[in-house]
Amino acid sequence: MGLPGKPPKPERSGIYPALAAVVVPSIEGMARLRITGHEHIPATGAFVLSPNHYSEIDPLVMAVAIWRSGRVPRFMAKASLWKVPIVGRILTAAGQIPVERAGRSSHGEPMAAARQVVADELGVIIYPEGSLTRDPDLWPMRGKTGAVRMALEAGVPLIPAAHWGTQHLMPRYGKGIRPFPRKTIDIRFGPPVDLSAFAGKRDQASMAAATDVVMARIAGLLGELRGEEPPAERWDPSQRGQTETGRFDG
C-alpha cells in the first residue's frame, strides 16, 4: 500500500507537482487539516470519492486531502468553469472532467468518462449533492445519482468522505476567504460503500436507493466529526420551494 502523501509515480507527472507546490502550502497555510481514514483511499487503481459540499472552497480542501492521502485528485465539475480564462486551461491540463448541468460530459456521456477513469486507473471526486447544500445547518441534502452510476458502471469502489470546518475559511456563498486566524478543518474518509445489492441495476428507483445509502454514510461521517446525530431525513430543496442549483437565500 502506498504511503500517504506520495501519489504513484505515473500520477505525479505533468502539471500535478507544480499545482501541488502552489495549492498545498496555500491551503495548509490557512488551515490545519486533520485527516483520518486515509487508509480507505486505494493506493492504486480507479475509485469514486463522494464528499459533502457546503462551501465553494471545498474542492481545494478535498484536493489537498486526497494528495496527502497518496493520490492525485480529479473532479467532475461544471463545464462553465472551463470558460474562465486561465482556469479552463489549468483544468484541462490537470485532466479534470467537465460536465454540463444536465449531466452530459462535454466529451460525451458521463459513462464514457467513467470508462476512461478505469482505463487510466484514476480516482475521481464527484459531489453527489450536485451543489452546495441547502440544509440550514449544513448537513448533506438529498443526493443525485451520478456518483453511484459512475461507480457501478465502472465497477470501482465508492469512498464516502466528510469534512467540517471549511465554512470558517469561506462561508457558504461567501464573498471571500477568511485566512486569519488559521482554521482547523477535519476530514474523514470512510470504507467503501457496499453497492453490491444494486449491481446490474440502472433504473431510477434503484439508483435513488443506492444514492440514499451513500448519503447516509456521508452524513454519518459528518456526524462523527461534528459530534452530533445527523437528521433522520435529508433536506430536499424541491419540497422547500428552493431551486436545485445556484445561489439561494438561507
Side-chain angles (χ1 to χ4, degrees):
M1 185 170 181
L3 293 175
K6 189 175 183 181
K9 188 173 181 180
E11 295 191 16
R12 287 183 281 129
S13 61
I15 195 173
Y16 297 108
L19 284 176
V22 174
V23 174
V24 172
S26 296
I27 292 297
E28 293 186 340
M30 295 184 290
R32 180 168 65 109
L33 306 187
R34 299 191 299 199
I35 305 170
T36 55
H38 61 72
E39 67 274 12
H40 298 305
I41 301 297
T44 58
F47 66 94
V48 171
L49 182 90
S50 290
N52 60 322
H53 195 18
Y54 56 82
S55 169
E56 290 177 307
I57 204 170
D58 290 347
L60 286 179
V61 171
M62 191 55 61
V64 172
I66 288 292
W67 181 267
R68 287 300 190 203
S69 297
R71 296 300 299 270
V72 165
R74 287 177 175 83
F75 291 86
M76 290 188 73
K78 56 186 180 182
S80 59
L81 292 175
W82 270 255
K83 298 177 183 179
V84 179
I86 300 177
V87 172
R89 289 198 294 272
I90 293 174
L91 292 172
T92 298
Q96 309 305 307
I97 305 170
V99 176
E100 300 293 346
R101 278 295 190 188
R104 292 181 62 90
S105 165
S106 64
H107 296 300
E109 293 292 342
M111 293 308 101
R115 289 188 285 273
Q116 190 61 47
V117 164
V118 172
D120 293 341
E121 298 189 340
L122 306 176
V124 60
I125 302 168
I126 304 177
Y127 286 99
E129 295 166 270
S131 182
L132 303 188
T133 183
R134 266 65 174 145
D135 187 293
D137 294 321
L138 303 182
W139 290 102
M141 65 177 179
R142 184 194 65 184
K144 300 181 184 299
T145 62
V148 296
R149 286 182 185 277
M150 175 171 277
L152 288 167
E153 171 73 17
V156 300
L158 189 153
I159 312 297
H163 58 80
W164 187 241
T166 61
Q167 75 274 19
H168 302 305
L169 186 59
M170 187 176 189
R172 179 173 53 185
Y173 295 123
K175 299 296 185 181
I177 298 173
R178 302 173 180 176
F180 304 108
R182 190 172 182 237
K183 310 302 188 291
T184 295
I185 299 174
D186 290 298
I187 301 162
R188 180 163 296 177
F189 301 115
V193 179
D194 183 3
L195 296 175
S196 58
F198 305 98
K201 299 178 181 179
R202 296 296 182 271
D203 61 281
Q204 184 60 29
S206 295
M207 295 300 93
T211 299
D212 284 343
V213 172
V214 171
M215 297 311 299
R217 289 286 299 279
I218 295 171
L221 291 172
L222 181 57
E224 293 172 8
L225 295 179
R226 293 174 58 163
E228 303 175 39
E229 189 69 25
E233 185 175 338
R234 271 169 289 286
W235 189 271
D236 187 341
S238 66
Q239 296 180 3
R240 306 280 182 162
Q242 297 175 322
T243 58
E244 293 281 340
T245 60
R247 293 175 180 267
F248 73 105
D249 294 325

